[in-house]
Amino acid sequence: MNNVTQIPYRIDQSELFARMKVTEKNPLYRKFLRSYQDILEKLPELLNIQGTFQLRANDAAEKLHQRLSGVSHIVYCMVTLGSGISERSNAYFQEKDFLKGLMIDSIADILVFNASNDYYAIIKEEVFRKNGYAMTMRYSPDDSLIPISFQKDILEQVNGRKLMAVDITEGYMYNPVKTLGYLYGADKDIELAKKDHDCVVCSNDICEYRK
């Protein structure tokens, strides 16, 4: 475990336009469409989507979360898009191409979320199928359940600096910014969760992916 996996990118135009509230009735629809197609052509050279995880004993002095207090192990996970797509987004804004700047940033948000979803199958195969540890649903650092400062712990547990060139700021934000750190509980005496994550148990009420 703790290998780095390359993850293919997955983006859907209809999902992007829905999140940006772009419809065919918009007088600038064709401009949005041209911008999307131009960005889509550039994506392969801008992305380096990687994932890594580490299964470790749950021996912390203080338990991370009430739903993780009884499990024997924690699966620490990290997914990143790399720095290229954020650098291109910043370049668009510097060029005053605000439409493309906003669009590629929205694309990046979707890409990193999709990558974490797709990476779940790889984690489950290794942790559950091969090693017999059933997994809970996903939990992520936030400001009310697991503190945002725990992003640093995840980075260190997966050796993200060395393996994926991810660093962290004094405010506990990852760099590259399009990076996710999250975790699962794991134990041989629990049942495998029926799904990867559930918005009901997440305290981030303003997340745009919340259902």
Side-chain angles (χ1 to χ4, degrees), residues 46 82-91 104-105 108 176-178:
L46 297 175
S83 60
I85 193 165
S86 294
E87 290 171 357
R88 182 65 261 179
S89 176
N90 292 335
I104 199 171
D105 191 65
V177 295
K178 301 306 180 183

Side-chain angles (χ1 to χ4, degrees), residues 144-177:
S144 63
L145 293 178
I146 300 175
I148 196 67
S149 60
F150 196 72
Q151 298 217 121
K152 183 177 181 180
D153 297 75
I154 296 174
L155 177 67
E156 293 172 348
Q157 292 286 355
V158 302
N159 198 15
R161 288 186 177 91
K162 180 178 180 180
L163 293 179
M164 299 195 298
V166 174
D167 208 338
I168 196 165
T169 69
E170 292 183 359
Y172 303 107
M173 296 293 103
Y174 290 130
N175 182 25
V177 295

Side-chain angles (χ1 to χ4, degrees), residues 57-65 69 74 76 150 153 157:
N58 187 17
D59 54 6
E62 296 183 6
K63 297 304 179 182
L64 301 173
H65 186 287
S69 61
I74 299 293
Y76 298 87
F150 196 72
D153 297 75
Q157 292 286 355

Side-chain angles (χ1 to χ4, degrees), residues 59-102:
D59 54 6
E62 296 183 6
K63 297 304 179 182
L64 301 173
H65 186 287
Q66 60 183 358
R67 292 186 176 92
L68 299 175
S69 61
V71 296
S72 64
H73 288 71
I74 299 293
V75 186
Y76 298 87
C77 310
M78 180 165 284
V79 169
T80 185
L81 301 186
S83 60
I85 193 165
S86 294
E87 290 171 357
R88 182 65 261 179
S89 176
N90 292 335
Y92 280 137
F93 282 111
Q94 290 174 2
E95 296 162 7
K96 300 192 184 304
D97 192 338
F98 301 114
L99 192 157
K100 283 186 179 178
L102 291 170

